[in-house]
Amino acid sequence: MIAVGSDHGGFALKQAVLKHLEKRGETYHDFGTYTEDSCDYPDFGKAVAHAVAGGEYEYGIIICGTGIGISISANKVPGIRAALCGDCFSAEATRLHNDANILALGARVVGEGLAMKIIDTFLDTPFSNDERHIRRISKIE
Ligand code: RB5
């Protein structure tokens, strides 16, 4: 189950992401925003982060204009490791090394095609479970 959220800057990309998740056969919940009206990215970053930290959702996908504000907001929630990715290498590495549980995207930074490939890479890459990565992640908390 995937928690998805965006501000107005990420709204259009979020709608495309929801369709992409449907095509992949994923179940998800859309935490908003639901219109292109101006809104505040922390409201949606935190809503998704709390949903993931609560354990009901395996992953989150959050989107704002740059991906920066919403990822900063999500990372304030204990247990959340939100990774802002603009390329597939980073998306793969953050799953393998950081066991990132939220993917953040910048809708004004990446095109739709690249965004979907980043999402596929993130969702399809398992955590490495390497001892050194487990140790490093434990030092974050
Ligand atoms: C909204 O204009 C914009 O500031 C927001 O989407 C995001 O980029 C903030 O980090």
Side-chain angles (χ1 to χ4, degrees):
M1 185 84 151
I2 300 170
V4 186
S6 77
D7 73 352
H8 57 287
F11 174 78
L13 181 59
K14 173 169 67 68
Q15 300 314 108
V17 166
L18 298 181
K19 281 194 192 140
H20 185 71
L21 292 177
E22 272 163 36
K23 272 195 209 149
R24 279 181 54 101
E26 309 281 355
T27 53
Y28 63 82
H29 181 75
D30 179 3
F31 284 80
T33 185
Y34 304 114
T35 73
E36 288 189 322
D37 294 347
S38 183
C39 60
D40 301 333
Y41 56 80
D43 297 338
F44 304 96
K46 285 187 180 176
V48 168
H50 284 294
V52 172
E56 197 182 334
Y57 295 84
E58 187 179 9
Y59 296 119
I61 298 174
I62 52 177
I63 310 165
C64 68
T66 59
I68 297 171
I70 204 161
S71 59
I72 292 171
S73 307
N75 276 317
K76 295 290 180 189
V77 175
I80 291 304
R81 293 177 300 282
L84 172 57
C85 296
D87 62 89
C88 293
F89 179 86
S90 299
E92 183 181 42
T94 198
R95 287 289 310 123
L96 288 171
H97 293 202
N98 315 122
D99 197 16
N101 47 17
I102 293 185
L103 170 66
L105 295 166
R108 296 172 186 158
V109 182
V110 295
E112 195 177 303
L114 176 57
M116 301 315 159
K117 285 204 177 295
I118 292 170
I119 288 169
D120 288 343
T121 303
F122 185 90
L123 295 179
D124 293 339
T125 304
F127 177 48
S128 65
N129 260 308
D130 286 349
E131 190 280 328
R132 70 187 192 284
H133 294 311
I134 293 170
R135 183 182 68 244
R136 290 164 189 163
I137 291 166
S138 75
K139 290 185 177 185
I140 296 172
E141 297 297 331

